[in-house]
Amino acid sequence: MSRLIRHRRLNWAKLVTGVATVLLATAMPALAQRGTRLQQRIREQQEAAAKERGDKNNGPDSDGPADDKLRPNPNEPAILAWTDRLEAFVPASAVGYQKQQIDELRKATDAVDQWAIQLTRFDDKIRRLEMLHAVGVLLDVKDRVDRLLDRTLQARVGFAALDAASRHTALMNYLATTAGLIDLSGRLRYTSFDALSFAEEEVVEIPVLRDQLLDNLIRRHSAIGAAVVIEVLFDQPADDTPAAKAVGNRLKQKVLDLVSASGNMELVPQLARFARDFNTPPSLLLATAETLRQIGLPQDLRPGQDPKAPTPAITAKQLLELLGHVTPQQWQPAEQSRLADVTKWLEQRAKTGLVGDKLRLGRFDVEPGDWLLMRNPSPYNLFTDLSPGLFTHVGVVTTETGADGIRRMVLVDLPERGTTIPATNVDAFVDRSLNYVFLRHPDADVAQKMGAAAATLIGAPSEFDLNFRTERVEALKGKPLAGATIHTYCAGFLLLCAQESGLAREEFFPIPEAPAGGHTQENLAKLGLTFGDKFISPTGALFSTQLQLVGRREPMYNAQREIEEAIYDHFAAGLKVNVLHPTPSLGQSLRQKLAEASKLNPLLAEALANANGVDKSMDLVAGAKAAAVVETLDEVAYGASGEYMLARRAVVDGPSPPPEAAATASERTKLAELRARHARLAQLWDKEQLSPRALRVELVNYYIAQGKSQIDARFFGPAKP
């Protein structure tokens, strides 16, 4: 049985802030008990083997092997060779994508992913130095993939110059390549988290190796490494001696150095928790404040903010109060100037908010006029000929001084629901997406005009255009935006701000787009959805030759998102090859009939619009049809991903869940049902013959298949044999 099955390995929920935390928390006690048993058994085996060999220097408590020679990892040459092949299959410029071997590239990305897992499948014979070496190889591979992704994103500006006749094939290959690299980077991050978690536990009590691991992670600016070791901040020394405390504090300072170097914004909640911990000494409290400043201190909650937006983990005022609780005598002389600097900055931030036109987001700054392109599971992702779309929603950055007198950097967007254009703190908004990029126009005057347009539109009346046209946006060119009703969709909002700069549309959206082929258009027409002649998508902005990519989020993998996206994409792919036969529920049919009746009844139209959170001038019939489809898609996609989480919990908790995993009677019934459904997996898990990764893969594939089958039944008739 592999040593990789350990309780720390199963803390994969740290990779996705706020996703399924409650469900996972109930499973952790059982996982911890399992990990403890396995760890003890492994140590006993190691001790016995070491005793039999007479190897006193390579027992479970040693610093490593008796000599400096590392036994070769048989999987290392394979992963390095496949990474070489992957790099060879990715063109360096746009023209190379016209003849790219996309199937070979997919084989390479799959192979790198699989060999990464084999590389870090540690057994009970591996030595600690060999383990650290394997983790280093994995991190090197991930760095290479991330650099390859950066190179691919840089190639985006070359497609506008290609001949239109041959450009489409190149674009399809490019989008498939970029999507594949994003997915691979996220999966390698996931695997790295597992491997680093295991390695960190193995070396935590060996100072030499522990420091070596931390130094390597700091040198790499490793965001995933920071996520693994962040809990070290809360470790307490084995005794209260000054020497033990000094060692612990030095280690915690290194962890803070790593977080600062990595720019990992997902760790702000843990930093806030550490700042509030009464065990945190003044020197580390100051270092924590500096780290928060470096990676991005959350802004104060915006007055009237959408309640769905996350509450800031800590604010300038709260951090200032924590520093103020330290008496002057507790600060060291060398800390005085640092304290004065960070205190002055926090006082200004707490009093008036953002100073200047830059907001830190991890490793980069955002500025007014920047465009956000973000990716979340969406049913619209394959509806155009720029597919797979890399992004599904957009927004424009601007500054705003709220009713409380605090100046903030906010993101302005046009969501499908609602009757006014909202604004959300940028740092809160990006927390919703696992993948995003920021684009910026290099001309400061152009950026200023776009940011000013976005600021003017905050709170403006809006009507989401289900026909995805841009004519009404173009009609506003040169006219005052204040007081205007904005009739468009998310990508149209980008165009609205862009045209305020006075530059041509083609500067921002150089490549014409069209609906996807096959039966897509006729199927969408049944839903009251059409695509205008000048349609633009969130992905279209990526190919602007003017906009510069100033920052992106390191891709993250999440099993639930994989399930949801696969189901949405199956629906969109089905629209191309099948004839749509939607089967709305009784409630959806009734709503559609009411929408049809409202055409002759203004009062009914207003009531329906208010009930659905849309403008009363919207085409309510088309809206009702589209809503019925989206609701059904969401029901299937979220239902499948939710059942995945419950099924995983049912298997992991075992037939007799621990008291900490208490559930209601209905939950226990559901968990028992799911455990019976996946009896084979449960049996293997109980016998410790199934790794957590293998369990995840099996369950993800099961619920993707289940969701696809439901989509076929609800929209395309009985599934074909």
Side-chain angles (χ1 to χ4, degrees):
M1 186 59 176
S2 170
R3 289 203 306 185
L4 197 54
I5 305 179
R6 301 267 299 277
H7 69 280
R8 282 291 296 278
R9 183 188 191 282
L10 295 162
N11 284 342
W12 56 276
K14 293 180 184 177
L15 296 174
V16 184
T17 303
V19 178
T21 303
V22 174
L23 285 174
L24 279 173
T26 58
M28 293 307 296
L31 296 175
Q33 290 181 0
R34 175 187 177 92
T36 301
R37 293 196 309 270
L38 282 171
Q39 176 69 4
Q40 180 61 33
R41 190 175 70 180
I42 289 166
R43 286 191 178 278
E44 291 172 354
Q45 292 173 348
Q46 287 182 309
E47 290 171 353
K51 184 176 181 180
E52 181 178 343
R53 294 192 305 267
D55 185 3
K56 297 181 180 180
N57 293 321
N58 196 34
D61 297 318
S62 72
D63 287 352
D67 53 46
D68 294 329
K69 295 181 180 179
L70 295 177
R71 295 174 299 180
N73 187 316
N75 303 302
E76 181 177 341
I79 191 171
L80 294 179
W82 275 108
T83 306
D84 290 341
R85 292 184 65 179
L86 177 63
E87 290 175 336
F89 289 135
V90 177
S93 63
V95 67
Y97 285 91
Q98 293 175 333
K99 297 182 179 180
Q100 186 191 22
Q101 300 176 353
I102 197 68
D103 289 339
E104 293 300 319
L105 179 129
R106 287 177 175 140
K107 290 178 184 177
T109 56
D110 289 345
V112 171
D113 182 27
Q114 293 301 317
W115 282 110
I117 295 163
Q118 295 300 323
L119 177 73
T120 54
R121 194 183 294 278
F122 304 135
D123 60 27
D124 29 327
K125 296 180 181 179
I126 192 168
R127 300 165 177 172
R128 289 185 177 90
L129 285 177
E130 293 166 349
M131 185 184 302
L132 292 180
H133 177 76
V135 169
V137 172
L138 175 58
L139 293 176
D140 285 341
V141 168
K142 186 182 183 305
D143 286 345
R144 290 174 64 183
V145 170
D146 287 340
R147 288 195 296 270
L148 193 58
L149 176 57
D150 286 333
R151 192 185 84 185
T152 303
L153 290 170
Q154 291 171 1
R156 65 192 173 83
V157 298
F159 289 91
L162 296 182
D163 178 75
S166 58
R167 183 168 57 198
H168 187 261
T169 297
L171 281 169
M172 295 304 98
N173 288 339
Y174 174 81
L175 291 169
T177 298
T178 310
L181 290 174
I182 289 171
D183 180 67
L184 176 60
S185 176
R187 289 178 181 275
L188 291 177
R189 189 180 195 274
Y190 192 100
T191 302
S192 299
F193 181 87
D194 286 346
L196 278 168
S197 295
F198 186 81
E200 189 262 342
E201 282 196 358
E202 288 292 307
V203 304
V204 69
E205 296 179 359
I206 305 173
V208 173
L209 296 185
R210 180 196 61 204
D211 286 352
Q212 178 182 323
L213 176 62
L214 274 173
D215 289 341
N216 284 336
L217 295 175
I218 292 172
R219 177 176 55 82
R220 299 171 185 275
H221 298 177
S222 175
I224 191 61
V228 168
V229 303
I230 189 70
E231 291 300 320
V232 170
L233 293 178
F234 305 98
D235 289 346
Q236 296 303 314
D239 56 63
D240 290 333
T241 63
K245 290 181 178 180
V247 170
N249 290 344
R250 184 182 65 83
L251 180 61
K252 293 175 182 181
Q253 181 60 60
K254 274 199 169 187
V255 171
L256 292 173
D257 291 342
L258 172 57
V259 175
S260 183
S262 74
N264 192 339
M265 285 181 59
E266 288 77 40
L267 302 181
V268 167
Q270 287 94 326
L271 293 176
R273 175 183 156 209
F274 184 59
R276 294 188 175 102
D277 192 332
F278 67 89
N279 289 314
T280 301
S283 60
L284 291 179
L285 175 60
L286 177 58
T288 301
E290 293 171 325
T291 301
L292 285 165
R293 182 181 183 181
Q294 173 65 28
I295 69 174
L297 179 69
Q299 301 180 96
D300 287 1
L301 193 65
R302 182 176 177 269
Q305 185 62 69
D306 180 355
K308 295 180 181 178
T311 301
I314 194 167
T315 63
K317 181 180 179 181
Q318 293 166 349
L319 189 52
L320 196 59
E321 290 175 349
L322 292 171
L323 290 170
H325 291 159
V326 181
T327 62
Q329 295 77 14
Q330 292 178 277
W331 297 111
Q332 299 297 320
E335 297 169 344
Q336 295 295 337
S337 61
R338 292 167 52 206
L339 175 66
D341 180 56
V342 76
T343 298
K344 180 180 178 180
W345 181 78
L346 288 171
E347 287 174 341
Q348 183 68 56
R349 184 77 175 263
K351 182 178 179 181
T352 60
L354 189 68
V355 177
D357 284 335
K358 295 182 184 294
L359 178 71
R360 191 69 173 173
L361 289 183
R363 293 184 180 180
F364 60 92
D365 297 322
V366 293
E367 300 177 4
D370 288 353
W371 288 12
L372 169 69
L373 311 182
M374 60 184 286
R375 170 74 174 269
N376 279 325
S378 168
Y380 304 115
N381 200 37
L382 303 181
F383 283 1
T384 84
D385 61 347
L386 282 185
S387 64
L390 297 179
F391 306 103
T392 57
H393 195 64
V394 301
V396 178
V397 177
T398 191
T399 54
E400 176 199 47
T401 300
D404 56 358
I406 300 297
R407 186 170 181 264
R408 299 172 177 83
M409 194 85 76
V410 296
L411 196 290
V412 187
D413 71 319
L414 200 157
E416 191 168 342
R417 292 286 178 180
T419 58
T420 58
I421 295 177
T424 309
N425 287 355
V426 174
D427 45 308
F429 194 98
V430 297
D431 192 52
R432 305 171 179 178
S433 177
L434 298 186
N435 183 34
Y436 58 74
V437 301
F438 278 93
L439 303 177
R440 178 179 302 155
H441 199 283
D443 188 321
D445 183 58
V446 171
Q448 186 275 329
K449 289 177 179 177
M450 292 194 294
T456 301
L457 293 168
I458 296 174
S462 64
E463 179 182 344
F464 194 88
D465 186 1
L466 287 169
N467 290 314
F468 304 100
R469 297 179 180 274
T470 58
E471 291 90 341
R472 295 193 191 187
V473 169
E474 294 175 324
L476 291 172
K477 189 173 184 178
K479 297 180 180 180
L481 295 180
T485 297
I486 307 304
H487 185 100
T488 187
Y489 59 104
C490 66
F493 184 77
L494 293 180
L495 179 62
L496 179 60
C497 293
Q499 68 186 19
E500 290 298 300
S501 70
L503 298 180
R505 171 196 184 111
E506 288 70 27
E507 295 268 341
F508 303 93
F509 297 94
I511 297 176
E513 296 184 53
H519 298 290
T520 299
Q521 290 191 70
E522 62 188 76
N523 282 330
L524 291 176
K526 294 180 181 180
L527 308 176
L529 302 179
T530 59
F531 286 85
D533 294 335
K534 295 184 177 181
F535 171 79
I536 53 177
S537 72
T539 301
L542 187 68
F543 299 103
S544 169
T545 59
Q546 300 299 313
L547 297 175
Q548 299 174 346
L549 198 156
V550 295
R552 65 178 179 87
R553 183 173 191 169
E554 182 180 346
M556 302 174 71
Y557 170 79
N558 175 253
Q560 287 183 278
R561 294 285 181 95
E562 180 183 6
I563 294 169
E564 293 159 10
E565 190 166 297
I567 292 171
Y568 285 133
D569 287 354
H570 181 71
F571 168 74
L575 290 181
K576 291 183 181 181
V577 298
N578 298 316
V579 176
L580 184 67
H581 297 292
T583 55
S585 67
L586 179 61
Q588 291 169 343
S589 297
L590 178 60
R591 184 171 58 196
Q592 184 173 327
K593 291 178 180 178
L594 286 172
E596 292 169 350
S598 71
K599 289 184 175 182
L600 303 175
N601 189 326
L603 291 177
L604 178 58
E606 185 171 359
L608 285 175
N610 291 337
N612 290 280
V614 297
D615 190 89
K616 63 182 178 181
S617 60
M618 182 179 184
D619 185 341
L620 296 178
V621 175
K625 291 179 179 179
V629 171
V630 173
E631 286 172 359
T632 303
L633 286 171
D634 288 348
E635 176 188 332
V636 174
Y638 295 138
S641 66
E643 278 212 332
Y644 158 80
M645 290 298 295
L646 286 173
R648 188 178 187 283
R649 175 181 167 187
V651 171
V652 167
D653 277 357
S656 302
E660 296 87 345
T664 64
S666 59
E667 287 175 330
R668 287 195 294 271
T669 300
K670 180 64 175 178
L671 291 170
E673 173 191 324
L674 291 171
R675 187 171 173 84
R677 177 188 298 177
H678 301 290
R680 179 182 64 84
L681 297 179
Q683 185 178 33
L684 291 173
W685 180 266
D686 292 343
K687 293 180 178 179
E688 299 182 350
Q689 296 176 352
L690 186 69
S691 72
R693 178 193 175 274
L695 173 64
R696 171 179 58 81
V697 170
E698 289 258 10
L699 290 177
V700 165
N701 290 338
Y702 178 91
Y703 286 101
I704 286 176
Q706 175 180 280
K708 288 180 176 180
S709 177
Q710 291 174 355
I711 291 295
D712 290 338
R714 297 289 290 273
F715 292 104
F716 305 114
K720 296 179 181 180

